[in-house]
Amino acid sequence: LSQAASERTSSVVGQFETSSSKSSVNYAGCLYTLHAAHNEWRRCCQAMDLYEIMSQGNLLAAENLTLSREQQNELHRNTIDEIVLSSVASSQLIHLIPQKGHRYIVRGELNPYPVPPALKEPREKEVDSELLSKRVREGDHLSPSNTSHGNEFQSSGNRLSRLLTEQQISSRATRSMAFRTLYFDSLSPESLIDILETSDRQLIEALSRLGYFSHVIAIANCKRDEKQRARPGGRDVLVDAIGHMICQYLLPNTTKLLRSMPGEEWVDEDEEDDGIQHRPTLNQLRLSYGNGSLIKGCETWRSDTRNNEVDRGFFAMSLVQNYTTKYSDSGNSLSKEVAQTLLDLGFGRSELPLWLHTLLLGEPNGNIDGLFAKRNGNPAELLRLYMRKGLLSLACKVVCEVLTCRGREEHATCRLPEKGSIDYVPYGIIDELWNLIEANLQSTNCSRDLKDDLLQSREKMEKAIIKHFELMKISDIGMLSARALNPY
C-alpha cells in the first residue's frame, strides 16, 4: 500500500487529474486509516503529508493545461480545502506521538527512518550516519522542480532540508487556514498559486488590509515561536505585527468612522472602487473581538447606513483597546505607537482616549514609588508625546497627575531608599515644557483663550512641583530619624 501510494504521488506530479479521471482509490486515506488503527501516529502524519503533496502536484500540473473558468475554480477550491485538511490533521496528529523526540516528519517520505541528529534524544546517541545521508527511495518524494506553499518543501537528497518539526507543522497549519481565508475573500488575488507563494510578511500585510486580524496574530505568534521568542533588532515579532496592523490599517478606518460628521463623506476617493473602505466588517470585528454580543444602541437622527458605520467605528476602537491593553508592557512600545498614531490622525487637535491615557500614565496599584518611572506605565514618554504635538495643557496635566498621586502625603515620613522608595522626575523635560509655554504666551499668534488656558495649566503644574519638593523634605527628615533610631 505504501509503495502504491508513492507511485501514485509520482504520477500525480507529472499529470493533471480532473474530477472524472481521479482514481477511485484514496491511497493517502487508506494509509491514514491503516496506521491509525495501529496507533502509529507519525505514519498517520506522513500519510496526511502525502495527501497534501498529491493535491499540490495536481495544482501545479494543471497550470500547463487550458481549463475553463468553472474547472479552474473547482480545482482551486478542492486544492485549498485538501491542503487545510492535511495540514490541520498533521498538526493534531503530531501531538499524539508519546516520544517528544519523534514528533517530526520528513516531507515526501512514507517509510520509517531513524531520528535525525537535530531531534535525537540523549539516550539515542548512536545513529547510523549512512542511513541519515541515504537518498530517499524512488517515488518517495516529488520531482526537484516542484515546491509546496511557503517554500516549505524542497525535494532533494538531503533529508534534513525536508525536515518538519512539531512547531513547523503547527505553523504550517496556521498558515494554510490563513491561505484559505485569503483565497475565498472577494478582494484577494484569484490565483491560488500566487497566494500559496506569499511570504509571511506579505501574508500579514494582506490579512491586515482585509480585516482578518485574528489570523494576523496567529501567524505572528507562530513566527515568534519559530524564532524561540528571540527579538530581531530588539523588536518582539508578535508585538511588531500587532502594532503595524493597528497603526496602519485599524486606526485610520476607525478614526474616519468615528469623527466624520453627519452627511460628511468619509470614504477616500482612491479606495472607492475596490471596496476596501468597508473593511473590517461588523462580522470580522465580532469574530476578532471574540464576543458576538457587541450591540450598541442606534442614534435615531442617523440613517441606518450611518448607524452601521458608527457601530463599526465603536467596535473597531474596542478592538484596538483590547489588543493594546493585552499586549502592551514595559518591554515594548505598543501603547506609545498607538497613542502617537491617534494624535497624528487627529492632527494634534484631539485628546487620547481615557483608557490609553491611563495605560500610558500607569495606575498606582497601591505603589506610590517611582513617579515617572512606574513599571506598569510610561508617563515620561506620554509627557514627551504631548509636548511634540503641541498639547502643552495636557502635558501640564500629566505632570500634575503624577506628582500628586494619592498616598504620597500619608507615607511621606516612612519612605526609605533601601526599601524601594526611589522616585524619578524628568526635571529637564519639565523645564523645557515651561519654556515652551512661555514662548507661546509671548507669541502674537496665541489667542486670548489659549493664553488663559496655558497660564492656568502652568499654575497648577507649579503648585504640584512645590508640593513635591515639600514632600521630599519631609521624606528626608523621616529618613534621618529612622536611621538615627536604627543605625544598623
Side-chain angles (χ1 to χ4, degrees), residues 410-475:
E410 291 81 355
H411 297 82
T413 58
C414 56
R415 303 180 74 239
L416 297 174
E418 54 268 25
K419 292 186 177 181
S421 300
I422 301 175
D423 299 329
Y424 163 69
V425 178
Y427 295 110
I429 300 178
I430 296 177
D431 289 340
E432 184 179 352
L433 174 61
W434 188 283
N435 295 333
L436 287 174
I437 294 176
E438 188 66 28
N440 277 271
L441 292 176
Q442 296 178 0
S443 175
T444 57
N445 297 327
C446 186
S447 62
R448 183 63 183 175
D449 294 338
L450 181 57
K451 288 183 178 180
D452 293 340
D453 184 40
L454 290 177
L455 285 172
Q456 186 178 4
S457 300
R458 190 176 68 173
E459 183 179 355
K460 292 181 180 179
M461 182 179 67
E462 183 179 3
K463 292 180 179 179
I465 295 174
I466 293 174
K467 184 66 174 179
H468 166 66
F469 286 133
E470 292 176 354
L471 294 177
M472 286 183 61
K473 292 180 180 179
I474 297 175
S475 298

Side-chain angles (χ1 to χ4, degrees), residues 64-342:
N64 300 325
L65 301 178
T66 303
L67 301 177
S68 64
R69 182 80 172 188
E70 183 178 354
Q71 288 178 332
Q72 188 177 17
N73 291 338
E74 181 184 2
L75 171 66
H76 288 178
R77 287 194 300 269
N78 294 336
T79 301
I80 191 62
D81 287 339
E82 291 169 356
I83 289 175
V84 172
L85 173 62
S86 60
S87 60
V88 173
S90 299
S91 177
Q92 297 295 325
L93 291 167
I94 202 69
H95 298 296
L96 299 177
I97 301 175
Q99 299 88 358
K100 292 186 178 181
H102 291 189
R103 293 179 182 177
Y104 75 97
I105 62 171
V106 180
R107 295 224 63 189
E109 292 185 358
L110 293 175
N111 299 314
Y113 283 89
V115 182
L119 295 179
K120 190 170 180 61
E121 295 182 353
R123 64 178 180 274
E124 302 176 9
K125 292 296 183 181
E126 297 181 359
V127 178
D128 190 352
S129 60
E130 294 182 359
L131 289 177
L132 290 178
S133 60
K134 182 179 179 180
R135 294 180 61 87
V136 293
R137 300 177 182 178
E138 182 180 0
D140 284 348
H141 59 85
L142 296 180
S143 60
S145 60
N146 296 322
T147 56
S148 70
H149 68 271
N151 296 326
E152 294 174 1
F153 173 59
Q154 296 179 352
S155 180
S156 65
N158 187 3
R159 297 180 64 240
L160 290 178
S161 65
R162 295 182 282 114
L163 176 69
L164 290 181
T165 62
E166 181 181 7
Q167 177 58 46
Q168 291 172 331
I169 292 173
S170 299
S171 300
R172 183 180 63 169
T174 302
R175 293 187 184 94
S176 66
M177 290 186 287
F179 286 140
R180 186 181 186 277
T181 301
L182 194 61
Y183 171 73
F184 283 103
D185 192 278
S186 59
L187 303 180
S188 63
E190 296 183 359
S191 175
L192 179 59
I193 293 182
D194 292 342
I195 294 177
L196 295 179
E197 292 177 350
T198 303
S199 64
D200 288 340
R201 184 182 295 272
Q202 294 171 340
L203 184 59
I204 289 176
E205 193 81 21
L207 292 171
S208 300
R209 179 174 177 268
L210 296 176
Y212 299 104
F213 305 125
S214 57
H215 282 289
V216 173
I217 295 176
I219 294 174
N221 198 20
C222 288
K223 287 182 64 67
R224 183 176 66 169
D225 291 340
E226 289 176 357
K227 295 180 180 295
Q228 298 180 351
R229 297 183 177 268
R231 297 192 174 193
R235 296 276 293 181
D236 185 88
V237 176
L238 176 60
V239 176
D240 192 25
I242 293 175
H244 178 76
M245 175 187 72
I246 293 177
C247 297
Q248 296 297 325
Y249 296 99
L250 191 53
L251 277 180
N253 283 337
T254 302
T255 53
K256 290 176 185 177
L257 292 168
L258 290 178
R259 293 176 181 173
S260 55
M261 301 300 294
E264 180 182 352
E265 185 64 32
W266 65 272
V267 178
D268 291 341
E269 295 181 357
D270 57 346
E271 297 180 349
E272 197 166 342
D273 296 330
D274 58 6
I276 199 66
Q277 71 273 10
H278 300 297
R279 300 300 180 92
T281 63
L282 281 175
N283 289 334
Q284 287 177 322
L285 291 172
R286 288 191 178 99
L287 290 174
S288 300
Y289 196 83
N291 185 359
S293 61
L294 287 176
I295 300 177
K296 184 175 177 59
C298 298
E299 301 287 350
T300 56
W301 56 271
R302 290 193 178 103
S303 63
D304 292 339
T305 303
R306 183 63 190 136
N307 272 323
N308 291 334
E309 295 173 359
V310 173
D311 288 344
R312 284 174 55 208
F314 276 109
F315 295 162
M317 184 57 73
S318 299
L319 191 62
V320 172
Q321 178 181 357
N322 186 24
Y323 287 154
T324 307
T325 54
K326 181 177 181 180
Y327 294 101
S328 293
D329 56 34
S330 58
N332 60 61
S333 59
L334 178 60
S335 57
K336 170 199 167 185
E337 294 172 4
V338 173
Q340 184 172 355
T341 303
L342 276 174

